[in-house]
Amino acid sequence: QGFFSVRTPCPACQTRGEIIKDPCKKCSATGLMHKVDELEIEIPPGIEEGITLRLSGRGNEGPRGAAAGDLQVVIRYEPHTFFTRAEDDVRFELPIAYSQAVLGAEIEVPTLEGKAILTIPHGTQSGKVLRMKGMGFPSLHSRRRGDQLVKAIIEVPRKLGVREEELLLELAQIEEKAVGTRRRGFLDRLKEYLGRR
């Protein structure tokens, strides 16, 4: 009923105002092509996982000569064999022998910057966390460094030599004769509990 008009983009030039008679087969006359570049970027020491680094002008170019955008690089960690991170501290689990825990020892341990000597105090309990000052990650926000936190885990051997078994049996006999206060209290409570059943 009556006259009306519809405005649509020109299918030939797509509103560019010009028609390319012999368009480039690689870019289909868009002026843009897909290309993968390898860039070398500087990672600041102590950077945390999830932080985004922005590289200005290294993203995709816009159509019709528009300026290129930015490239955003999101930092992700590969899991390490020994170390885990807790803020600026680095955690590490160290298996030690029963004799080292009882008598104390000096043990060479790995750190982020190589090897270092860790002193195991005598009487160290399994699960005790020993702190190595300044051996962690450098902080992004200050000049300080985190610490390396070493969790001592006492390993119990599954197989013993003859001499080792003899010594441990002798130690067991000594411990039964000289029961400590804490152990004596536990044994008394255990006897009382079993007597009630």
Side-chain angles (χ1 to χ4, degrees), residues 31-61:
L32 298 173
M33 290 191 304
H34 289 286
K35 182 181 176 183
V36 177
D37 275 345
E38 288 189 6
L39 303 177
E40 189 171 304
I41 63 174
E42 184 176 345
I43 305 295
I47 193 167
E48 299 173 14
E49 187 172 28
I51 285 183
T52 300
L53 301 178
R54 186 184 301 274
L55 304 180
S56 297
R58 301 312 299 262
N60 291 330
E61 291 189 11

Side-chain angles (χ1 to χ4, degrees), residues 124-145:
T124 295
Q125 303 296 308
S126 189
K128 172 74 174 176
V129 176
L130 305 172
R131 185 178 295 270
M132 301 176 74
K133 288 281 188 182
M135 303 295 284
F137 288 90
S139 175
L140 279 175
H141 313 294
S142 67
R143 293 185 178 181
R144 69 173 294 275
R145 289 182 69 100

Side-chain angles (χ1 to χ4, degrees), residues 6-193:
V6 177
R7 300 181 64 184
T8 62
C10 170
C13 74
Q14 296 297 324
T15 73
R16 288 193 294 266
E18 59 183 3
I19 298 175
I20 300 175
K21 293 182 179 179
D22 187 18
C24 169
K25 294 180 180 179
K26 293 183 179 179
C27 73
S28 301
T30 62
L32 298 173
M33 290 191 304
H34 289 286
K35 182 181 176 183
V36 177
D37 275 345
E38 288 189 6
L39 303 177
E40 189 171 304
I41 63 174
E42 184 176 345
I43 305 295
I47 193 167
E48 299 173 14
E49 187 172 28
I51 285 183
T52 300
L53 301 178
R54 186 184 301 274
L55 304 180
S56 297
R58 301 312 299 262
N60 291 330
E61 291 189 11
R64 302 181 198 171
D70 299 337
L71 174 64
Q72 298 184 3
V73 181
V74 180
I75 301 299
R76 292 283 180 259
Y77 290 163
E78 288 187 5
H80 194 274
T81 306
F82 301 114
F83 300 125
T84 56
R85 183 170 182 167
E87 296 182 350
D88 290 336
D89 295 333
V90 59
R91 297 180 184 271
F92 172 67
E93 288 192 358
L94 176 66
I96 60 174
Y98 173 73
S99 57
Q100 292 173 321
V102 174
L103 302 174
E106 290 190 347
I107 301 178
E108 191 176 64
V109 296
T111 70
L112 295 178
E113 297 183 354
K115 298 176 182 177
I117 299 297
L118 172 66
T119 300
I120 306 292
H122 70 277
T124 295
Q125 303 296 308
S126 189
K128 172 74 174 176
V129 176
L130 305 172
R131 185 178 295 270
M132 301 176 74
K133 288 281 188 182
M135 303 295 284
F137 288 90
S139 175
L140 279 175
H141 313 294
S142 67
R143 293 185 178 181
R144 69 173 294 275
R145 289 182 69 100
D147 302 330
Q148 178 160 314
L149 307 177
V150 181
K151 186 177 182 180
I153 305 295
I154 299 177
E155 281 193 319
V156 178
R158 296 187 178 183
K159 293 184 179 180
L160 293 174
V162 176
R163 182 58 179 154
E164 290 173 316
E165 191 168 342
E166 288 175 354
L167 291 172
L168 284 173
L169 286 171
E170 186 177 342
L171 177 61
Q173 291 172 357
I174 294 172
E175 287 178 335
E176 287 300 322
K177 290 177 183 176
V179 178
T181 306
R182 184 175 176 183
R183 181 173 167 84
R184 187 185 301 117
F186 169 76
L187 292 175
D188 290 342
R189 291 195 302 273
L190 181 61
K191 288 178 183 177
E192 183 182 348
Y193 172 76

